């Protein structure tokens, strides 16, 4: 069945055979977290995570147009709030996001993303599950990818929810690793007193080093994270539990990305990311958060 894809008059029209791609294709989904916690202001740039995250996300979109054959650009918030800006998978074969029809498509997507307001709950598990199930249903694709920009904090999924990190281990990882596999790349924006340091974990050695360690105390894994600097002893018990929970969720997302063959990066609110921001992924040609 052929599906005509058009989000607005500004978008290009693409024709996609979801059941039987005409030849070997790469299908990619770009996911942007537009939830309420993304309105926290970043000390490094005096802008919200939402506004800063849009810039990172549009890098992901640009790379998707350049490298994918079919691209689906989505935003999500609470239950039932997973929306496709491209109205499904858009045919981007041969397009260049910096010139011609590819530039027109990129500018249209950019306008839609820049107009997004961040608010509401976080159904991160459901957004990932639904997007991955959609990718898995496409027969004949040679590669399936998900690129996510988020500040994590799952709190409202109904189909793929659960405790942290159970929702990731029970719902996300099996979808990534069970054939046909999906390559998952994630960029996580976090508070300075939760998860800091700009770092990509993409090797089994680094993954092994991360597992089994106290994420709040292991300064060898993340840059500039120490009990002294962030004064963990002064935290109340409730705040400490929140920090541990957030770190556990981030660890699980990193683990999922590495297991899938992708990469992960965490950017603290106090960090200026002017260079070296791309994860050292196993497929560096994707770059831009993929």
């Amino acid at each position: 069945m052929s599906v005509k894809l058009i989000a607005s008059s500004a978008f290009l029209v693409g024709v996609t055979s979801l059941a039987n791609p005409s030849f070997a294709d790469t299908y990619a989904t770009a996911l942007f977290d537009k939830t309420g916690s993304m309105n926290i202001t970043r000390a490094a740039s005096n802008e919200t995570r939402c506004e800063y995250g849009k810039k990172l996300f549009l890098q992901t979109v640009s790379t998707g147009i350049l490298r994918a054959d079919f691209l689906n650009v989505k935003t999500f918030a609470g239950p039932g709030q997973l929306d496709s800006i491209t109205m499904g998978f858009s045919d981007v074969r041969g397009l260049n996001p910096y010139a011609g029809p590819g530039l027109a498509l990129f500018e249209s997507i950019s306008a839609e993303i820049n107009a997004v307001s961040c608010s509401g709950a976080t159904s991160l598990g459901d957004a990932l599950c639904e997007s991955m199930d959609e990718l898995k249903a496409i027969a004949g694709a040679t590669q399936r990818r998900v690129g996510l920009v988020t500040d994590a904090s799952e709190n409202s999924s109904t189909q793929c929810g659960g405790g942290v990190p159970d929702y990731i281990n029970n719902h996300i990882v099996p979808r990534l690793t069970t054939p046909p596999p999906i390559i998952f790349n994630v960029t996580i924006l976090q508070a300075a007193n939760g998860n800091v340091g700009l770092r990509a974990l993409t090797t089994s050695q680094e993954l092994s080093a991360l597992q089994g360690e106290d994420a709040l105390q292991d300064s060898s894994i993340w840059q500039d994270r120490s009990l002294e600097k962030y004064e963990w002893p002064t935290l109340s018990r409730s705040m400490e539990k929140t920090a541990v929970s957030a770190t556990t969720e981030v660890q699980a997302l990193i683990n999922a990305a590495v297991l899938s063959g992708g990469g992960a990066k965490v950017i603290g609110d106090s960090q200026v990311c002017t260079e070296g921001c791309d994860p050292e992924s196993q497929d560096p040609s994707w770059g831009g958060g993929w």
Side-chain angles (χ1 to χ4, degrees), residues 7-8 26 75 83 87 94 111 133 141 154 169 174 192 237 265 285-286:
S8 68
T26 294
T75 64
D83 301 307
M87 303 296 286
D133 289 345
E154 155 66 43
N169 296 335
R237 185 169 300 275
K265 58 184 175 181
S285 63
W286 277 78

Side-chain angles (χ1 to χ4, degrees), residues 2 26 36 81 86 99 108 116-117 139 146 188 211 214 239 241 255:
S2 294
T26 294
Q81 293 180 306
T86 49
S108 295
V116 165
S117 296
V146 172
I188 306 169
Q211 292 172 328
D214 183 343
M239 289 176 65
K241 287 182 178 179
N255 292 356

